Amino acid sequence: MNRKYGLISLIAGLVLVLGVGAVFVFSQGSSEVKGNGEVEEMSPQAMKKFMKEDGTGFIIYSFDEENRDTYLYSVKKAMETHEVEGKEIYSKDPRYDKSKDQHYYGVAQDPDTLAVYKDGDLKKQISFEEYEPSQLEDELDHFIGTSKEMYFSE
């Protein structure tokens, strides 16, 4: 009876090890920024924690309240095309301490920009205000596509 339980435990252990190993192997070749175009609005403290612990991906730093929805729509559309997701920190969030700048929350980019970070380091950014709304979607599409290829491909 003891041998039977020992054998069952051994088989269960092997299945567990193989399962974990398979997940590890298959996750090694995947992009770190996959997604479906969603943008997660994060509290300033959550952004600070994310940037400290991971800091990899596309980050929007929203400042202009009047144009925020337009900018987010354009970013989401481009992200959906490239199957990535992003995170947003919004300077008008009531939890955003106005006496501190964006660096306090872990982001180094300018306001009203989309930036790409790798391990907490700002790689490059694109300003929403530099482009007419009709051009912005194309520019964001190009920015996300080249950033994904440059920083997150195998």
Side-chain angles (χ1 to χ4, degrees):
M1 195 70 156
N2 264 348
R3 282 182 90 181
K4 185 176 179 182
Y5 289 120
L7 186 57
I8 290 172
S9 295
L10 178 65
I11 290 172
L14 285 173
V15 168
L16 180 66
V17 168
L18 289 174
V20 170
V23 168
F24 178 75
V25 168
F26 290 119
S27 69
Q28 291 303 303
S30 65
S31 170
E32 299 172 26
V33 292
K34 287 189 178 210
N36 59 357
E38 292 299 312
V39 173
E40 177 186 0
E41 182 181 347
M42 300 183 83
S43 72
Q45 290 303 322
M47 180 62 74
K48 184 176 181 178
K49 181 179 181 193
F50 170 77
M51 292 304 288
K52 185 180 268 189
E53 293 176 358
D54 182 6
T56 296
F58 291 97
I59 306 293
I60 301 162
Y61 176 33
S62 296
F63 187 82
D64 182 348
E65 191 170 12
E66 187 177 317
N67 292 309
R68 179 178 178 227
D69 290 338
T70 303
Y71 296 154
L72 285 174
Y73 175 80
S74 297
V75 170
K76 287 178 182 180
K77 196 169 178 186
M79 285 185 169
E80 190 175 291
T81 299
H82 292 282
E83 298 178 328
V84 298
E85 61 186 31
K87 300 186 182 321
E88 177 198 27
I89 183 167
Y90 184 39
S91 66
K92 304 292 191 233
D93 185 305
R95 298 164 289 188
Y96 191 101
D97 185 345
K98 308 270 188 278
S99 69
K100 300 187 176 12
D101 67 11
Q102 69 270 29
H103 296 275
Y104 176 78
Y105 298 109
V107 293
Q109 71 204 73
D110 298 327
D112 292 320
T113 58
L114 170 66
V116 61
Y117 289 83
K118 181 114 182 184
D119 300 322
D121 293 326
L122 173 67
K123 296 301 181 183
K124 65 182 184 173
Q125 64 182 334
I126 182 172
S127 174
F128 303 139
E129 297 170 340
E130 286 184 27
Y131 303 97
E132 293 296 318
S134 59
Q135 292 178 293
L136 184 58
E137 284 185 28
D138 289 338
E139 294 298 327
L140 287 168
D141 185 67
H142 178 72
F143 176 83
I144 292 170
T146 56
S147 297
K148 184 178 175 184
E149 185 178 307
M150 194 177 295
Y151 303 111
F152 306 118
S153 64
E154 293 177 43

